[in-house]
């Protein structure tokens, strides 16, 4: 779901080095609506970049903060899936200049930590994931509202007209890219598509099951299809999602509510012993275990893509793994963000994949609360 900010307004260079007053959607406390406020956005410090946000998507992970399933400090400016234009840069910034089109990265790529240096890793240690800090790397914030410091979200905070990110947390992209589409490469599309092609490395002719058909789940379906999977079984309790899943490559669509037995048994029967790859794209512990149990007992691979709920543990029969299954997690589709995002945008421009089917509604961003209602009702 993309919220559009007013687009094609030239970046005003006269604001460089000054505090910018603009509108932002502030979440003052959990389980309350967003409040459209005037905020002050400080100029970027050393190795930081201030961006004018042009388009931002709404992701379930933002809603997890609202509900308390993902614990973050308040007040906070959420949003982490966006595209925009560089307004000004701090000292020492060399990778971008004012006027460049960019995508903020909630998984940065510093290029120096253990994970960035390892070919298998992509979860930069500079990420705000799991630390709940809500601050810039120097331990301070760039947002104030009504005299109060406002926390950042995942180092991006895109529900605002202007934001500040660290240089390691943004990717310069093709200047011709339509920002209101490629904003989805900032999270939803890349997370799902990458889980299939990058984390699972789905093979041609294989069978896959995708649990959850939101924007990320549909992107997993696209990734499985692009990788050449011969059978892609889409699983969701909302049958309204099935038509789009089929349009994007699902071969079968099943609703767990239509069966008396557990969904893993249904998938076992449908595939003669389980799928080669399964993906949990919801963020529920019961579906994570079901997805694991639905893949082939000896060589199946199950990938956790949905953000797990806070303070919940999984209890499962270890025999599920003993027989040879693998269980993996995937953040941002396993991509090294700064390297991959410009390439994914280039692939989109070459029509290697579509993004339009993932955009269900386009709203002015002041209607952000309506956008979240649409998300929560599965629309």
């Amino acid at each position: 779901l993309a919220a559009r900010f007013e687009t094609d307004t030239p970046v005003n260079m006269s604001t460089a080095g000054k505090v910018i007053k603009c509108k932002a959607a502030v979440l003052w406390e959990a389980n309350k609506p967003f409040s459209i406020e005037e905020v002050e956005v400080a100029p970027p410090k050393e190795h930081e970049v201030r961006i004018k946000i042009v388009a931002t998507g709404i992701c379930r992970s933002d809603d997890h903060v609202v509900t308390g399933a993902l614990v973050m400090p308040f007040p906070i400016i959420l949003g982490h899936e966006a595209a925009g234009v560089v307004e000004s840069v701090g000292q020492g910034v060399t990778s971008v200049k004012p006027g460049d089109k960019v995508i903020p990265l909630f998984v940065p790529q510093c290029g120096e930590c253990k994970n960035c240096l390892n070919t298998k890793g992509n979860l930069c240690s500079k990420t705000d994931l799991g630390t709940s800090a809500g601050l810039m790397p120097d331990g301070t914030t760039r947002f104030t509202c009504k005299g109060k410091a406002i926390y950042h979200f995942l180092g991006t905070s895109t529900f605002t007209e202007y934001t500040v990110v660290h240089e390691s947390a943004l990717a310069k992209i093709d200047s011709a890219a339509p920002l209101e589409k490629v904003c989805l490469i900032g999270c939803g599309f890349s997370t799902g598509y990458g889980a299939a092609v990058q984390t699972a490395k789905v093979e041609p002719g294989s069978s896959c099951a995708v649990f959850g058909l939101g924007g990320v789940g549909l992107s997993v379906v696209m990734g499985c299809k692009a990788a050449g999977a011969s059978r892609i079984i889409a699983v969701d309790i909302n049958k309204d999602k099935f038509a789009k899943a089929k349009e994007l490559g699902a071969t079968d669509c099943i609703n767990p509510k239509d069966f008396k037995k557990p969904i893993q048994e249904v998938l076992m029967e449908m595939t003669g012993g389980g799928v080669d790859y399964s993906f949990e794209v919801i963020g529920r512990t019961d579906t994570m275990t079901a997805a694991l149990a639905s893949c082939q007992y000896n060589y199946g691979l199950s990938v956790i893509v949905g953000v797990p709920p806070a303070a919940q543990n999984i209890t499962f029969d270890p025999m599920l793994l003993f027989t040879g299954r693998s269980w993996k997690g995937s953040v941002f589709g396993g991509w090294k963000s700064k390297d991959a995002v410009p390439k994914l945008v280039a692939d989109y421009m070459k029509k290697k994949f579509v993004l339009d089917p993932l955009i269900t509604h386009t709203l002015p961003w002041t209607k952000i609360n309506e956008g979240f209602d649409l998300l929560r009702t599965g629309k």
Side-chain angles (χ1 to χ4, degrees), residues 284-301:
R284 289 176 57 104
T285 52
D286 54 344
T287 41
M288 288 171 187
T289 318
L292 176 69
S294 67
C295 69
Q296 210 277 347
Y297 76 99
N298 183 208
Y299 53 76
L301 168 65

Side-chain angles (χ1 to χ4, degrees), residues 35-358:
S35 178
I36 305 292
E37 307 276 6
E38 183 178 81
V39 298
E40 286 98 44
V41 184
K45 294 188 184 178
E46 197 174 1
H47 294 297
E48 293 177 358
V49 178
R50 190 160 57 184
I51 307 165
K52 178 183 172 62
I53 298 290
V54 174
T56 185
I58 291 177
C59 174
R60 180 67 74 179
S61 307
D62 301 306
D63 192 45
H64 284 334
V65 180
V66 181
T67 61
L70 185 58
V71 180
M72 290 283 160
F74 294 100
I76 191 166
I77 294 174
L78 295 177
H80 63 283
E81 177 183 88
V85 180
V86 173
E87 173 268 340
S88 62
V89 300
Q91 257 184 311
V93 171
T94 53
S95 57
V96 292
K97 63 186 185 306
D100 283 348
K101 283 189 176 180
V102 290
I103 287 178
L105 308 169
F106 73 92
V107 174
Q109 188 183 341
C110 72
E112 295 160 6
C113 72
K114 208 171 178 180
N115 294 354
C116 281
L117 291 171
N118 190 303
T119 54
K120 299 177 197 162
N122 80 314
L123 197 54
C124 175
S125 64
K126 298 262 180 359
T127 176
D128 199 5
L129 221 68
T131 59
S132 301
L135 300 167
M136 293 298 282
D138 72 350
T140 62
T141 168
R142 301 291 164 271
F143 300 118
T144 40
C145 179
K146 297 176 179 171
K148 272 198 175 134
I150 308 292
Y151 287 100
H152 294 247
F153 179 53
L154 301 182
T156 49
S157 288
T158 62
F159 294 165
T160 167
E161 291 174 313
Y162 287 87
T163 191
V164 177
V165 304
H166 192 269
E167 187 180 13
S168 64
L170 88 166
K172 181 181 169 180
I173 59 164
D174 183 343
S175 61
L179 300 183
E180 73 281 4
K181 311 270 196 234
V182 299
C183 63
L184 298 177
I185 291 172
C187 177
F189 173 76
S190 308
T191 295
Y193 192 77
V197 303
Q198 181 79 9
T199 304
K201 297 188 167 50
V202 169
E203 292 160 323
S206 59
S207 58
C208 303
V210 181
F211 287 68
L213 300 173
V216 185
L218 291 171
S219 300
V220 175
V221 170
M222 286 156 75
C224 293
K225 186 180 183 191
S230 60
R231 196 159 184 203
I232 303 167
I233 305 168
V235 184
D236 203 298
I237 55 172
N238 180 354
K239 63 180 188 310
D240 296 344
K241 306 267 186 185
F242 292 168
K244 197 166 270 187
K246 288 209 157 144
E247 176 196 327
L248 293 173
T251 53
D252 309 73
C253 292
I254 57 173
N255 184 341
K257 287 181 168 173
D258 293 343
F259 302 92
K260 291 270 194 294
K261 57 181 125 185
I263 194 67
Q264 57 266 37
E265 290 178 25
V266 176
L267 286 160
M268 283 280 170
E269 283 169 20
M270 281 176 75
T271 55
V275 292
D276 298 311
Y277 302 96
S278 69
F279 301 86
E280 199 279 355
V281 207
I282 302 162
R284 289 176 57 104
T285 52
D286 54 344
T287 41
M288 288 171 187
T289 318
L292 176 69
S294 67
C295 69
Q296 210 277 347
Y297 76 99
N298 183 208
Y299 53 76
L301 168 65
S302 189
V303 183
I304 294 176
V305 188
V307 177
Q312 280 193 28
N313 293 333
I314 292 183
T315 307
F316 69 101
D317 178 354
M319 189 56 85
L320 284 170
L321 291 177
F322 176 73
T323 54
R325 285 182 183 89
S326 306
W327 215 353
K328 283 192 91 163
S330 177
V331 177
F332 195 60
W335 304 108
K336 284 191 184 285
S337 59
K338 229 172 156 65
D339 296 343
V341 165
K343 288 180 188 153
L344 286 166
V345 171
D347 282 351
Y348 170 73
M349 299 299 278
K350 289 180 199 143
K351 299 191 164 46
K352 287 194 181 173
F353 55 81
V354 292
L355 291 172
D356 275 12
L358 302 178

